[in-house]
Amino acid sequence: TPQASVDFGAGSPIIAQWFRSALFALQVDDRGEDFTVPAAELCAWLQGYDAWYREISGICEGRGLEHLYHRTVEIIGADLLLLDDKLAQIATICRELGYGFAATFPITECLTRQNAFDRLISCGHLYQVGLHQADVEMQSVDGSAVRKLVEGVLERGVKLGLLGSIAYFTSIGLLNSSVMNRSDVTMYPLGIRTIGALPNPKNPVRPCFARFRVYVDCEGMVYPCLGLMGIQSCRLGAIREPWE
């Protein structure tokens, strides 16, 4: 076996830390029975990926244990709650390996597939849930149902990220919720318009390398950056190929 041309354990911080986390862009297959890359294959790949990371970072030898902090597996995609049992399968493997499992869903999908969403939350292995609100989707949605959905997530102790219009969340009374105000919530304002040029930030925007992770697309191709997904010349490999 040829030696690797890159020493992932070198540097300060070590190069390996940019590969500590992963994101899966999932797609439901045509039969609606699994993802286009089956959940079992994703789980098996995660186990090999974790073993590689522990070896090259020195963790297997008892060194660099701090590199086990803040490792996450995030999933994105459309209609993923159709396969909540498969998501729970991935979440369980993540929990066993020490990854935080994060998932983001449209609020309207969570309301439509409430039972599936509840089952996924109830599996107990979610580190964070993101709920995305889009103005075009929310005009006919009962605000009290949205508030109840958000409060239900928080009451189960799941860390929450809210993506959407602050004005919308204010209009449905969410910002006055006692459950909301005593919980760990991160808000990502969307749709805010400004007049004129923005002032220079006090602290520069972080460069891309601080957000590098392993990105896996719906065909199982592996990339180092979200912006490079789909560009074949930039891919690192595929989950069906040996990670090394």
Side-chain angles (χ1 to χ4, degrees):
T1 303
Q3 294 296 316
S5 59
V6 176
D7 181 359
F8 287 91
S12 180
I14 63 173
I15 298 173
Q17 86 156 19
W18 312 125
F19 297 87
R20 73 171 70 199
S21 296
L23 180 144
F24 295 151
L26 302 180
Q27 180 178 319
V28 178
D29 66 20
D30 292 338
R31 295 181 297 178
E33 297 177 353
D34 209 327
F35 302 115
T36 49
V37 179
E41 290 190 27
L42 293 171
C43 291
W45 180 84
L46 271 173
Q47 291 173 315
Y49 166 57
D50 174 67
W52 169 85
Y53 179 82
R54 290 172 181 265
E55 180 179 356
I56 55 92
S57 62
I59 293 169
C60 289
E61 300 173 359
R63 297 182 287 106
L65 298 182
E66 69 273 13
H67 299 302
L68 289 174
Y69 290 134
H70 310 302
R71 296 193 307 160
T72 61
V73 172
E74 183 178 355
I75 61 112
I76 58 174
D79 300 317
L80 299 185
L81 287 175
L82 285 170
L83 299 173
D84 62 282
D85 58 329
K86 302 296 184 183
L87 294 178
Q89 182 181 344
I90 298 172
T92 300
I93 288 294
C94 289
R95 182 67 174 265
E96 292 174 356
L97 297 175
Y99 292 97
F101 181 73
T104 298
F105 306 104
I107 289 176
T108 49
E109 181 180 357
C110 295
L111 293 173
T112 302
R113 301 189 174 105
Q114 182 83 53
N115 291 337
F117 183 67
D118 288 343
R119 286 194 298 269
L120 182 60
I121 297 292
S122 298
C123 81
H125 298 324
L126 269 74
Y127 161 71
Q128 180 171 344
V129 170
L131 295 177
H132 179 219
Q133 169 264 332
D135 291 337
V136 295
E137 299 174 344
M138 306 305 295
Q139 295 176 359
S140 60
V141 176
D142 180 5
S144 63
V146 176
R147 190 169 61 250
K148 183 177 179 180
L149 175 75
V150 172
E151 291 177 340
V153 172
L154 295 174
E155 287 173 338
R156 299 188 205 190
V158 179
K159 189 175 180 181
L160 178 65
L162 284 177
L163 300 82
S165 164
I166 300 297
Y168 171 77
F169 293 130
T170 301
S171 71
I172 64 172
L174 191 55
L175 300 190
N176 292 325
S177 164
S178 60
V179 176
M180 174 89 164
N181 284 294
R182 67 171 180 257
S183 303
D184 185 358
V185 181
T186 302
M187 303 195 73
Y188 302 90
L190 302 178
I192 295 178
R193 298 181 180 179
T194 59
I195 299 175
L198 293 173
N200 292 328
K202 181 178 179 181
N203 299 310
V205 175
R206 291 183 302 151
C208 284
F209 76 82
R211 295 185 291 277
F212 281 162
R213 66 180 74 183
V214 177
Y215 292 86
V216 181
D217 70 11
C218 60
E219 297 177 349
M221 300 295 109
V222 181
Y223 298 87
C225 171
L226 183 63
L228 297 177
M229 288 181 71
I231 303 176
Q232 186 170 357
S233 61
C234 297
R235 73 182 182 91
L236 300 175
I239 70 164
R240 295 185 177 96
E241 299 171 357
W243 175 251
E244 294 77 5

